[in-house]
Amino acid sequence: MTSRVILISAAISEALREARFDDGCPVDASGLRLARAAAGSVPAAARLWVSPTVRCRETAGALGLDTPEDAPELAGLDVGRWRGATLDEVSAKEPEAVARWLADPGSAPHDGESVRAFCDRVAGWLDTASEVTGRTVAVVEPEVVRALVVRVLGAPESAFWRVDVPPLTATEFSGRAGRWNVRAGRPLGEPG
């Protein structure tokens, strides 16, 4: 049986525009408008999931996805005490910590979660999602897509920082027996 998992990156928020670590802010007006315009373009799914963030829940609602289940395993990367700050602000206060965090996927100087632990967490969710018959759709934070692309392709965790995930794009993982293919970055509303 071939499994299909489609991850939809959440609509843009003020935090994303400002390169600020997520602080629970909602989708901004332009993000909601674009998500509503893309409603109806998400394929039918046997299971609907959503990252437990305001932005992802609002995006799912604007897309017209009825009652997606919260998936704690799909929460964004926990950046601990850096939450709500911009990367520039943190770099000015803790330049060595930021450099270590960006260079070492096992490092978590912010007292949150390392990139390695994060990749492990979301890869575990993908293993579980692949057991469901039919298509699975999840609205997630962009770093969740990054982590799964890295894991599915067998890339080093340092590649996490090299994957760009625009808002309101679909990334599809299809495969069987643990072997996955990736179709990345299709804007919602375009033919699949």
Side-chain angles (χ1 to χ4, degrees):
M1 171 185 79
T2 298
S3 297
R4 296 197 186 286
V5 176
I6 298 174
L7 300 183
I8 298 170
S9 57
I12 196 149
S13 67
E14 186 177 326
L16 190 60
R17 283 187 197 283
E18 297 173 354
R20 183 169 21 103
F21 295 109
D22 184 48
D23 59 358
C25 74
V27 171
D28 69 17
S30 68
L32 277 176
R33 183 176 30 75
L34 292 169
R36 287 180 184 129
S41 66
V42 178
R47 295 290 301 263
L48 294 174
W49 296 95
V50 65
S51 288
T53 63
V54 171
R55 187 166 80 124
C56 290
R57 287 185 190 117
E58 288 182 350
T59 299
L63 289 170
L65 303 179
D66 293 329
T67 61
E69 294 182 51
D70 272 359
E73 307 88 349
L74 295 178
L77 178 65
D78 177 1
V79 293
R81 70 176 178 276
W82 294 352
R83 185 174 183 195
T86 67
L87 185 57
D88 286 343
E89 290 168 345
V90 174
S91 294
K93 291 179 185 175
E94 302 180 56
E96 297 86 12
V98 171
R100 187 171 61 251
W101 181 61
L102 293 173
D104 177 6
S107 176
H110 43 57
D111 298 325
E113 184 175 33
S114 72
V115 168
R116 179 170 294 131
F118 176 66
C119 289
D120 288 344
R121 174 167 52 89
V122 296
W125 176 85
L126 183 62
D127 289 342
T128 302
S130 69
E131 297 169 1
V132 174
T133 302
R135 183 181 289 128
T136 297
V137 171
V139 178
V140 299
E141 295 295 339
E143 65 264 27
V144 171
V145 178
R146 279 190 206 126
L148 287 179
V149 167
V150 165
R151 281 298 165 88
V152 162
L153 296 179
E157 290 153 345
S158 59
F160 178 83
W161 303 112
R162 305 272 187 226
V163 179
D164 290 332
V165 181
L168 293 174
T169 56
T171 302
E172 183 173 342
F173 299 87
S174 61
R176 66 182 93 173
R179 182 182 164 137
W180 294 95
N181 294 317
V182 179
R183 182 173 186 212
R186 178 177 52 84
L188 291 182
E190 289 187 3

